[in-house]
């Protein structure tokens, strides 16, 4: 079932147990919304993330730093279950 056929998306309940900063939580949710169901990847620009999350580009960069496992060198994101 493709749950994105409706007007919603899902994230794992454990997200609330990680004590993420609010900015990181919002960006994680947006990236989850954008990600492909099979590959879990998406590639929105920083400006697009900022616009849709109502954040500045600088704040988005900080949020991505909060979420990253490795250094990010492109706008390709793989959304992992937390």
């Amino acid at each position: 079932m493709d749950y994105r056929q409706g007007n919603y998306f899902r994230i794992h309940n454990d997200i609330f147990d990680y004590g993420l900063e609010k900015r990181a939580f919002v960006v994680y949710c947006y990236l989850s919304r954008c990600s492909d169901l099979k590959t879990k990847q998406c590639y929105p620009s920083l400006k697009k993330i900022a616009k849709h999350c109502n954040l500045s580009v600088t704040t988005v960069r900080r949020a991505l730093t909060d979420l990253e496992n490795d250094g990010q060198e492109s706008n390709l994101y793989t959304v992992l279950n937390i």
Side-chain angles (χ1 to χ4, degrees):
M1 177 172 104
D2 183 357
Y3 58 84
R4 290 193 298 179
Q5 288 178 355
N7 215 6
Y8 61 93
F9 67 99
R10 292 182 183 221
I11 57 172
H12 201 277
N13 287 331
D14 289 347
I15 189 80
F16 295 101
D17 297 331
Y18 283 88
L20 292 176
E21 294 285 336
K22 292 174 189 170
R23 65 184 179 226
F25 178 81
V26 170
V27 170
Y28 179 84
C29 289
Y30 181 72
L31 294 175
S32 294
R33 176 184 174 261
C34 295
S35 67
D36 180 85
L37 292 173
K38 291 181 183 176
T39 66
K40 305 288 189 192
Q41 293 183 335
C42 59
Y43 47 93
S45 68
L46 290 175
K47 287 182 181 180
K48 187 171 185 174
I49 297 169
K51 177 183 175 187
H52 287 275
C53 293
N54 198 28
L55 299 170
S56 70
V57 170
T58 301
T59 301
V60 170
R61 282 191 182 111
R62 288 184 188 131
L64 292 171
T65 299
D66 295 342
L67 294 169
E68 289 173 0
N69 287 332
D70 301 311
Q72 185 77 18
E73 306 244 345
S74 72
N75 65 332
L76 173 64
Y77 304 98
T78 302
V79 181
L80 304 174
N81 289 336
I82 293 183

